[in-house]
Amino acid sequence: MTVPNDIANIALAQDGVRRIEWAEREMPVLRLIRERFLREKPLKDIRMAACLHVTTETANLAIALRDAGADLRVCASNPLSTQDDVAAALVAEYGIPVFAITGEDNETYYRHIHQALEHAPQLTMDDGADVVAVLHKDRRDLLPGVVGGTEETTTGVIRLKAMAADGALGYPIVAINESDTKHLFDNRYGTGQSTVDGIIRATNVLLAGKNFVVVGYGWCGRGVASRARGMGAQVIVTEVNPVKALEAVMDGYRVMPIADAAREGDFFVTLTGDLNVIDREHLESMKDGAILANSGHFDSEINLKALTAMSEGRRRIRDSVEEFRLQDGRKLFLLGEGRLVNLAAAEGHPAAVMDMSFANQALGAEWIATNHHKLTNAVYELPDEIDQEIARLKLHAMGVRIDYLTAEQQKYLTSWQEGT
Ligand code: ADE
């Protein structure tokens, strides 16, 4: 009998299995964790709801959690990021309930979150804090049974910290994003490669020689800027934080306000986690043919209402590309409906970086399941030893050896008497 599900097409399962196994080859750290989980069952009979992008990499995490003994349900964390063959494989081949269909409307998206909550989870796993939000707004009756959660992304962590500061957070949550082995690699190299990948898959437009505007110079923005430069684009960075702006200048980029960049850009990518960072006035001054994409968590960064209001017509040009014909005759092109372009138009971050992100998720779930009784309703970081261990395992898997401090060096670093 198949497990509970709402997916697009179960007949896609074998395609999904082949692609999940392909991703697994690049996820050696998660593999080691899964092998230990199989032996030790650290999540035995714990009910979990995981709201994540349903990709081949997430499938490997879900399998590890299942093998740890968890009673897991999975729903999507974005209406456009589900890979339907992966959802089918999880249900048909791996016995994991999934509620996710690519292209689902908002109502279905939230119905799926509710379905993932129907078995009253004790642990939640989020990417963007939508499960936490639904639990705290619509299913408060389930809150007493939840002992802890994990959160994947910068945007989710910001939301959760705001909840904790308000005294509104109902249980402790581990901010996976804060681990070095998460944000330094996933946000930078993962977003960097997959965002450029999404833009190229959607448009097949040459980047070399074009003005490529990166809005926001956090870890994600840095990754995208460096990869776009690697493709030969002239990168312009816009930023509100003076330290980050200074870093962008010294990394060799042109830095200017978005109002100026708006006039120059051929491509725009937003990665700020904030609202309307490309606003009506910027859309008004863009060149005919400018291509707009967002790689931040929510579709709030480009003012889509203004873009729609300014347009006298819109049409789909090719998968993930929509043309907006403005009243003054210019055309602007929006990729992936302004949702995460790396997941809407490509496949998200490559498995080799998700290996570390999801190693953190797996160990984060184990850590909170073990330690929740010692915690308050706050946002926690994983202990540094876990970060170090994940990095050590990854280096080992990559065949990279490093040095260790000698006893003399270790002593030197902990003594205050030594000087010139
Ligand atoms: N977030 C970004 N890329 C991802 C991927 N490949 N799988 C799951 N979540 C992601």
Side-chain angles (χ1 to χ4, degrees), residues 107-135:
E107 193 190 323
T108 312
Y109 176 76
Y110 279 102
R111 176 166 52 78
H112 284 157
I113 293 181
H114 279 272
Q115 284 177 293
L117 292 174
E118 257 163 29
H119 73 332
Q122 295 151 298
L123 285 187
T124 63
M125 188 171 272
D126 249 317
D127 186 338
D130 278 346
V131 157
V132 170
V134 168
L135 270 172

Side-chain angles (χ1 to χ4, degrees), residues 177-389:
N177 190 66
E178 308 305 274
S179 297
D180 285 344
T181 48
K182 199 281 184 183
H183 66 260
L184 291 179
F185 301 92
D186 170 310
N187 301 24
R188 184 166 34 171
Y189 305 114
T191 308
Q193 176 164 321
S194 62
T195 298
V196 171
D197 182 14
I199 292 169
I200 292 173
R201 286 198 209 191
T203 64
N204 196 26
V205 166
L206 187 73
L207 297 193
K210 302 279 172 53
N211 287 335
F212 191 106
V213 180
V214 175
V215 184
Y217 203 63
W219 289 113
C220 295
R222 287 161 207 234
V224 172
S226 91
R227 270 38 189 166
R229 174 156 67 188
M231 301 290 290
Q234 313 269 350
V235 175
I236 296 171
V237 171
T238 74
E239 183 42 73
V240 291
N241 177 311
V243 177
K244 290 181 182 166
L246 195 53
E247 280 187 278
V249 173
M250 296 212 184
D251 285 343
Y253 301 111
R254 293 170 70 207
V255 175
M256 62 183 75
I258 180 66
D260 297 348
R263 286 192 293 274
E264 295 203 29
D266 300 301
F267 294 91
F268 294 83
V269 182
T270 54
L271 310 100
T272 68
D274 215 331
L275 201 63
N276 296 338
V277 293
I278 293 186
D279 215 340
R280 183 176 187 122
E281 68 198 89
H282 312 128
L283 296 167
E284 269 163 2
S285 63
M286 282 179 187
K287 295 197 278 202
D288 178 39
I291 291 172
L292 310 176
N294 165 54
S295 218
H297 187 79
F298 287 117
D299 57 344
S300 57
E301 306 208 14
I302 301 169
N303 189 340
L304 299 177
K305 265 201 195 122
L307 181 58
T308 307
M310 290 162 65
S311 305
E312 59 183 23
R314 59 197 273 187
R315 59 179 179 148
R316 196 178 144 276
I317 297 292
R318 37 190 275 155
D319 284 352
S320 305
V321 182
E322 205 176 359
E323 173 192 272
F324 287 76
R325 194 160 26 84
L326 306 189
Q327 278 128 17
D328 59 17
R330 282 176 305 134
K331 289 174 180 163
L332 299 180
F333 297 97
L334 179 70
L335 307 190
E337 300 175 16
R339 297 189 190 275
L340 283 161
V341 71
N342 60 335
L343 282 142
E347 294 170 65
H349 304 351
V353 289
M354 294 315 292
D355 186 28
M356 288 186 282
S357 309
F358 285 165
N360 276 286
Q361 281 284 15
L363 298 180
E366 179 183 37
W367 184 80
I368 204 133
T370 317
N371 292 289
H372 65 88
H373 50 279
K374 298 184 221 155
L375 308 176
T376 61
N377 295 348
V379 178
Y380 289 85
E381 290 180 19
L382 274 183
D384 192 47
E385 308 84 75
I386 292 185
D387 227 357
Q388 300 286 322
E389 179 65 4

Side-chain angles (χ1 to χ4, degrees), residues 15-85:
D15 292 344
V17 171
R18 282 190 296 274
R19 293 200 316 111
I20 291 166
E21 289 175 355
W22 174 253
E24 200 272 344
R25 297 176 62 86
E26 289 274 284
M27 303 182 87
V29 179
L30 189 62
R31 182 183 316 138
L32 285 173
I33 292 169
R34 183 170 67 83
E35 285 164 3
R36 176 173 67 75
F37 277 8
L38 254 177
R39 291 192 303 274
E40 297 178 6
K41 301 280 177 209
L43 302 173
K44 189 163 172 31
D45 296 332
I46 294 182
R47 292 184 306 278
M48 288 187 69
C51 179
L52 300 169
H53 302 295
V54 183
T55 64
T56 53
E57 293 76 26
T58 297
N60 281 292
L61 171 64
I63 294 163
L65 297 171
R66 179 204 66 182
D67 288 351
D71 171 5
L72 173 71
R73 286 183 165 217
V74 176
C75 61
S77 60
N78 184 295
L80 293 187
S81 61
T82 298
Q83 298 170 3
D84 288 323
D85 58 338

